[in-house]
Each structure stands twice: as C-alpha cells, then as structure tokens.
Amino acid sequence: MTSIRINKLAAIGPDLESAELELGRGLTVVYGASNTGKTYVFDLINYLLGASNLKHIDESAGYDTGLLSLLTSRSPEGLVLERSIEQSKSAAKFRVYEGLQRSGRPRVLSPRHQKTGNDISTLFLAEMGIGESWVRSNDRNETVSLTLRLLSRLFLVSETDIVSEAPPALSGQFISKTTERSVLKFVLQGNDDSDLPRTTKSATAERQRNQGRLAAMEQIVGELRQALGDSESSSDAQARLVRLEQSIEGISNSLDGHLEEQARLKDEIRQLQRQYEEQRHRVTEIADLLSNFRLLLQKYDSDLERLGMLEEAGTLLGYFDVGDCVFCGSTPENQSTAAHRAEDRTLFADAVRAEQSKTLGLRVDLALAIQDLGAERESGLRALSLLEAQVEGVRDAARALDDRLSPQRGELRELVAAKGDLERRIAAHEQIERIETLKVSLGSVDEPTSVPATALGGGVAQEFGELLFGILEDWRVPELRHVSFDADSCDISMNGIPRSSHGKGMRAILHAAFTVGLAQWCIMRNLPHPGFVVLDSPLVTYKEPESAEDERIMGNDVATHFFRYLASRFLGQAVILENVAPPSEISEEATVYEFTKSRHGRYGFFPVVPVRELASSGAV
C-alpha cells in the first residue's frame, strides 16, 4: 500500500490573511488554551476528507475556502483538496489540483461515493493503493462499497470519540456494527468481503419476510405510478431529456459568449473609473496649488506696494539723496559699513529698487505659473467630463447586454426546472423497474446455510494486542500488566478490564494507543492505511495517580513519553491537538505550534485576535 502525508492545512478568504499550518513529516503538535481553534483544525481536516458538515466559529467569518495539501507515493508532486467552507454542506463539492501550486484545471469531485468513481473517496482510496473493495454489512453477507468515511474513524479521532465508551473501531450504532467490524478486519488483514457467499436462514421465516417485503414494494410501486399519472414512458422521457440537455447546452454556450463580453465591459468600466480618479486627484491638486499661488501673488503685490511706499517716503525725506547722513551728518566718504547699516545710508535707494526688481520678477514668473496651471485645470476638467461620458456609455452598453441576457437566463431557468422534473420522473421509472426486479428475485428461498462471521484469523487479534501492550509500555502507563484485543467486541482490555469500564482519561489513552498501533501495524505490514493519524485531546482528561501507594509510579509522565514515542518511534505522521505542552526536548524532531490566545505569539488557528478578546484586555 502507498502512504499519504498531510503537507499543509489552510483556510483562505478574500482580503484576509490566510490561516495555515505546515505539518511536519513525523509529529506535529498544536497546543494551547481552549477556544483557540484546535478542535476547528481537526474538524477542518475531517471536512476536507469528506465529512458532511463543518461547524463555524466566530474567527472563521470571511474565510470561504478550505485547502488540504497531500503528498502521496502515487502523486509525489502533491494534490490540493479544495472545498467551500463559507456555507459548509454535505453537497459542497471538491476541487482537486495536481501539484501544490493549485495551477491548471481542477477536477471537480463529489463528496459522496459515486458508482462512476468521480468522488473524493475513490480518489483518496486510489492514492492509498486500494481499488474497488467490499465489506460485509449484515448477517446475510450483503456487502457495501468500502469508502473513505468508513475508514476515517480509524485514523481521525475527535475529542468526543476518544473518550467514548464505544470500542475505538466502532461508532456505537448497532445498525453499522457489522460494517465497522468488517472495515477493521480489512485494515488488519488486507482482504475484503467481496467473495462472501450470499446466505439465508430459515426458509419459512425468509418467505414470511419476503411476503412483507413484497407488500411494501407493491405499495411503493403504486404510489410511484400514481405520482407519475398517465405521463410519458421511460424511453420517451429519456429522449425528451436528451433534447432538453441539448437546448440547455446551446443556451449555456450562447450565455458564455455574452458573459465574456459582460466581463470585458466591467473591466473597461474599472479602468475608466481608475483613470477618472487619477484625473480628479490631479485637478484637486491643481486647485490647491492655484489657491496657494494666489495667496503668494497677493503677498508679492503687498510687498511691491510696501516698497513703493518706502521709495516715495525716502524721496520726500531725502533719504535717497547722496550727501551727508541725515542721522549723524557724516559725509558720504566717511559713511563706513561698520558705522552705518544699509538701511541708514543715503544709498538706501539702490537697495529698495533692487528688491522691487526681484519681487516684480518673481511675481511675473508666478503669474505665468498660475496661467499654466489654470489651463491645465481646465483641460483636466474637460478630461473628467469626457471620462464621465465614457463610463456612462460603457454602463449603458452593459445594461443593454443585461437586457439581452435576461430572456435567455429566464429560458435557461425554465429549462433547468423542466430537466429536474423530468429527471425525477425518470428516477421514479427506474425505481419501479428496480423494485419489479427485486420482486422477481424474492420468488424462491433456498434451504438455510451457515452465516460466516466477520472474524480475524491467524492469531491477528493476539499479535495486535501484543503490539498495543508494547506501545502502552513505552508510554509508561501506570500499573500496566497485560493488554489484549478482543476480535468480537473490537475493544481493548487492560489488566483484564475492558476499555469501556475505565475512566475517561484512561479511555482516551487506550483509544490513542489503538489508533497509533493500528497505523504502526499497517505500515510495518504494508496493509491498507493512509499512514497518518489525527488525535484531538488524547491527554487532556488523563491524570497521573496521586495516592500514597502510587508514589513509586508518579514519576512516569505519560504525556512526556507519549510525545517522545510519536516523535522518534512512530513510523507514520501524527497530528496531536492538545491543551498541554509537549516536552521541549522533542522540538528538533517535531513541528510544534502554540496557540497563545493573546496578542503575544500566535493567537490561534486564525491570524486574528477576536474583538471580544481585545475588549476584555482593554486594547479597544
């Protein structure tokens, strides 16, 4: 069998930082406080492996897509499983990309098992090296297809299941017990139930049951025929369905061309709006410059007016006449720079006229700049008007296209609705045909034959129990003397006590040992298993003994040895979600994430601190 390894888990959304976990080849530990997304990590992995629903949490708001990257022996370049998480429903399909870059055209796969094989279960089993396989479903040796969801409970263990009193391989539902036991037998031994003979019990009892079945079938057929009324035959309905599908395809092709044109128009509108915003920004910028320049022009005018007044006053008072200083009486040749400031000398007229000339030159340049900017602003305003007209023109074209598309969309909706109704009628015809065939098969009953049990052979149960004992011994589980695995109940017993009779903490440890041991068993023997396990809270409820008589074993830290084993001795990949921190010594051998539930370090799976946490801390 081939192996599978989870490379990365991610949730993405528009305009949001992606939430990602890169998983190590061996052990990955995610630990930290409660309500930080650890259980969401488990649920997201489970959902991306075909589970029906994904529970939403506040922190996941805005994230619309989940991604699970896988590396497998059959696909060494990797696969990316993508599924919508915005409104997680069992019908949400998968998009599967070849290669870790999510490039190229993805395959669209159903989350439910399909006869055509176009589903996530068939893909995953094929990556494990498992072809079409069958497992026994009841005491008449009827079989059902082996699926990913039937296998998943053997390597994905939730925090609820890990402490459940039901055996690790079973859900606790009576109706599915036979199937689940058969799945475990398939994993432990590698052979399915496709060759089991169909058996019956008492012929008389079987005939009585058949009579009841026939009566029920007659009632169902009658109700189906009444619902169909005097409608067309199955063959006519099939022919009409073909015509409907052709019409739908023709309209869809026509719509595709229009939709491309619609996308082009929207893109053109965005480009024009971007040009409009750039031009509007420039016009606003010019207006600000003009306002500032006009203020500066007023300042120049004020300065020129002041200089003119100085010149006139100096002329009237004789300050500008060359001669004796009007302040001290010094003759011009005796008016030194040290004794007379520039403004006090009779040559002050030159300074005033020089300042007037400079200011006037600056004013002329500024007036020219104002004139140029005014022209540019007018040009910009005209460009804005033109862009507005262009945007409106493209919008009119888009509206006209919408008007043309509206009738086709309406017709397409009507055709799709008609197709759905027709498919339901065809399905009713097919169901009637199947029931009629079943009625014929119930006509005869053979004599009773023995019903073979779903049992493990060749001492498999004993060997598996010995492997589990070795694992629990490595984990330093206190008071460990004997471990066995019962093939009939599919449960573990420790020291002669069934797992279901232990407390929650020990049930979690034993369930974890079963899951890890099953993966180890299969990897060593090349039996069907993905090669990875995901355990949610295997240690959180376990507590070391505290009584005086147990002082000798209190040093046996189960959690420490649990992590050491997975980091150094487990042959597959393990993902552990826990509240307790792993020992620091495994940091070089394992990938460790701490969810701090604070702004220091990584808050949780999602890279945001919830508003309620910020409010409680006084940050908002």
Side-chain angles (χ1 to χ4, degrees):
M1 298 295 170
T2 59
S3 63
I4 298 175
R5 179 169 69 85
I6 302 176
N7 181 62
K8 184 197 300 186
L9 174 71
I12 59 176
D15 301 322
L16 292 174
E17 181 183 354
S18 62
E20 297 182 355
L21 286 179
E22 296 271 0
L23 304 186
R25 298 182 64 86
L27 173 62
T28 298
V29 182
V30 180
Y31 77 96
S34 299
N35 298 322
T36 52
K38 298 190 302 295
T39 294
Y40 187 87
V41 169
F42 176 88
D43 293 340
L44 183 57
I45 293 174
N46 195 22
Y47 179 70
L48 292 172
L49 289 177
S52 298
N53 296 295
L54 174 65
K55 183 179 179 180
H56 285 274
I57 59 177
D58 292 342
E59 292 79 4
S60 67
Y63 289 86
D64 57 9
T65 303
L67 304 171
L68 190 68
S69 303
L70 303 176
L71 296 173
T72 76
S73 302
R74 291 166 59 95
S75 301
E77 298 300 320
L79 297 173
V80 178
L81 311 184
E82 176 182 307
R83 195 179 187 192
S84 170
I85 61 174
E86 190 172 22
Q87 292 181 335
S88 58
K89 298 179 180 178
S90 59
K93 292 184 179 290
F94 283 84
R95 293 177 295 278
V96 180
Y97 294 86
E98 294 184 3
L100 300 181
Q101 305 305 316
R102 293 172 64 211
S103 58
R105 186 181 182 89
R107 283 183 287 171
V108 179
L109 301 180
S110 169
R112 300 193 184 97
H113 183 71
Q114 305 285 321
K115 290 182 179 179
T116 60
N118 192 35
D119 58 89
I120 195 66
S121 175
T122 301
L123 171 71
F124 193 88
L125 295 183
E127 294 297 325
M128 288 176 59
I130 300 175
E132 186 177 39
S133 301
W134 302 85
V135 289
R136 184 171 180 256
S137 62
N138 55 40
D139 60 359
R140 294 184 301 280
N141 285 356
E142 294 176 337
T143 56
V144 296
S145 295
L146 177 71
T147 65
L148 171 57
R149 297 318 302 166
L150 289 175
L151 275 174
S152 63
R153 69 176 302 103
L154 300 180
F155 56 89
L156 301 177
V157 186
S158 70
E159 62 178 344
T160 301
D161 289 340
I162 207 162
V163 296
S164 169
E165 294 184 6
L170 307 182
S171 63
Q173 300 295 321
F174 177 79
I175 192 171
S176 59
K177 181 178 180 179
T178 300
T179 302
E180 290 165 348
R181 289 177 60 192
S182 300
V183 171
L184 179 61
K185 185 199 76 170
F186 172 77
V187 173
L188 283 171
Q189 296 187 167
N191 55 301
D192 71 349
D193 297 324
S194 56
D195 295 332
L196 284 179
R198 177 73 183 274
T199 62
T200 60
K201 294 184 178 179
S202 166
T204 301
E206 189 71 11
R207 289 192 188 95
Q208 291 175 347
R209 283 195 295 271
N210 285 351
Q211 289 175 357
R213 293 168 183 156
L214 287 169
M217 290 179 184
E218 289 289 353
Q219 181 179 354
I220 294 172
V221 169
E223 291 173 354
L224 288 172
R225 294 191 187 283
Q226 183 177 2
L228 287 171
D230 296 328
S231 63
E232 59 198 335
S233 65
S234 177
S235 59
D236 290 342
Q238 291 282 3
R240 188 156 68 91
L241 179 62
V242 171
R243 294 193 296 272
L244 272 175
E245 289 176 339
Q246 291 173 344
S247 299
I248 290 172
E249 182 179 4
I251 294 177
S252 297
N253 291 336
S254 175
L255 282 174
D256 286 343
H258 289 311
L259 291 175
E260 289 178 2
E261 174 65 13
Q262 189 179 54
R264 187 193 65 78
L265 289 173
K266 289 181 178 179
D267 185 60
E268 186 176 351
I269 289 173
R270 283 193 295 270
Q271 291 179 3
L272 289 172
Q273 287 176 332
R274 184 166 58 252
Q275 294 175 20
Y276 181 89
E277 286 301 316
E278 292 173 354
Q279 188 63 48
R280 186 185 63 80
H281 177 75
R282 177 57 183 164
V283 169
T284 303
E285 187 179 59
I286 291 172
D288 292 339
L289 286 173
L290 285 172
S291 177
N292 292 332
F293 283 2
R294 289 189 180 107
L295 289 175
L296 184 57
L297 188 65
Q298 292 175 5
K299 177 67 169 56
Y300 285 162
D301 289 340
S302 176
D303 289 347
L304 289 171
E305 184 179 354
R306 177 177 55 82
L307 291 169
M309 291 173 61
L310 286 174
E311 183 180 21
E312 183 178 355
T315 301
L316 291 174
L317 296 176
Y319 289 171
F320 297 160
D321 296 333
V322 178
D324 295 342
C325 177
V326 297
F327 299 105
C328 67
S330 299
T331 60
E333 60 272 13
N334 292 319
Q335 294 174 10
S336 64
T337 302
H340 293 80
R341 291 180 298 175
E343 61 268 26
D344 292 338
R345 295 199 305 270
T346 55
L347 297 178
F348 187 45
D350 293 340
V352 171
R353 293 187 186 98
E355 184 67 20
Q356 284 178 321
S357 177
K358 182 182 74 171
T359 304
L360 186 60
L362 291 173
R363 187 189 184 285
V364 170
D365 292 341
L366 182 61
L368 290 174
I370 291 174
Q371 183 178 356
D372 291 342
L373 285 174
E376 185 179 350
R377 181 174 181 273
E378 291 299 321
S379 176
L381 291 172
R382 289 193 297 273
L384 284 177
S385 299
L386 179 60
L387 285 169
E388 285 179 352
Q390 288 178 326
V391 169
E392 191 59 32
V394 177
R395 283 176 174 164
D396 289 341
R399 284 191 287 267
L401 183 59
D402 283 338
D403 292 340
R404 294 199 302 273
L405 288 176
S406 182
Q408 289 182 305
R409 286 171 174 160
E411 185 180 359
L412 183 61
R413 284 194 294 269
E414 292 176 0
L415 289 174
V416 170
K419 179 187 174 186
D421 180 66
L422 191 56
E423 286 176 336
R424 287 189 290 272
R425 290 180 173 276
I426 292 172
H429 281 295
E430 292 174 348
Q431 189 173 0
I432 291 172
E433 292 175 3
R434 286 195 299 271
I435 292 174
E436 293 294 346
T437 302
L438 285 173
K439 286 167 61 179
V440 173
S441 68
L442 293 175
S444 60
V445 179
D446 297 331
E447 289 302 315
T449 59
S450 61
V451 179
T454 302
L456 300 175
V460 171
Q462 181 179 347
E463 291 182 35
F464 186 55
E466 293 170 355
L467 174 66
L468 298 181
F469 176 81
I471 292 174
L472 291 168
E473 191 174 37
D474 287 339
W475 293 357
R476 303 294 195 271
V477 173
E479 300 180 349
L480 180 68
R481 296 185 296 276
H482 176 72
V483 175
S484 63
F485 178 75
D486 184 74
D488 292 329
S489 65
C490 296
D491 205 358
I492 307 171
S493 292
M494 189 181 88
N495 301 336
I497 303 174
R499 174 182 166 277
S500 58
S501 297
H502 287 278
K504 283 185 178 181
M506 187 57 72
R507 289 204 301 270
I509 290 292
L510 293 176
H511 196 143
F514 170 86
T515 304
V516 171
L518 183 63
Q520 196 83 321
W521 171 280
C522 293
I523 294 170
M524 291 188 299
R525 291 166 174 78
N526 198 29
L527 290 169
H529 194 282
F532 67 83
V533 298
V534 183
L535 304 179
D536 189 0
S537 305
L539 300 170
V540 71
T541 57
Y542 179 77
K543 187 177 182 181
E544 296 282 349
E546 295 180 352
S547 63
E549 63 185 18
D550 287 326
E551 287 181 357
R552 180 178 58 83
I553 58 176
M554 281 184 66
N556 295 333
D557 184 356
V558 173
T560 297
H561 289 91
F562 169 84
F563 285 120
R564 285 178 182 170
Y565 177 91
L566 293 176
S568 60
R569 299 191 57 186
F570 182 50
L571 300 176
Q573 181 188 34
V575 180
I576 307 300
L577 309 166
E578 257 302 343
N579 285 4
V580 299
S584 58
E585 65 195 61
I586 70 165
S587 58
E588 293 185 1
E589 300 176 271
T591 301
V592 180
Y593 293 95
E594 180 186 7
F595 290 173
T596 63
K597 202 177 183 182
S598 72
R599 287 172 293 163
H600 306 291
R602 178 165 181 166
Y603 181 92
F605 176 62
F606 291 98
V608 292
V609 180
V611 173
R612 62 174 183 274
E613 298 294 342
L614 290 174
S616 65
S617 67
V620 295

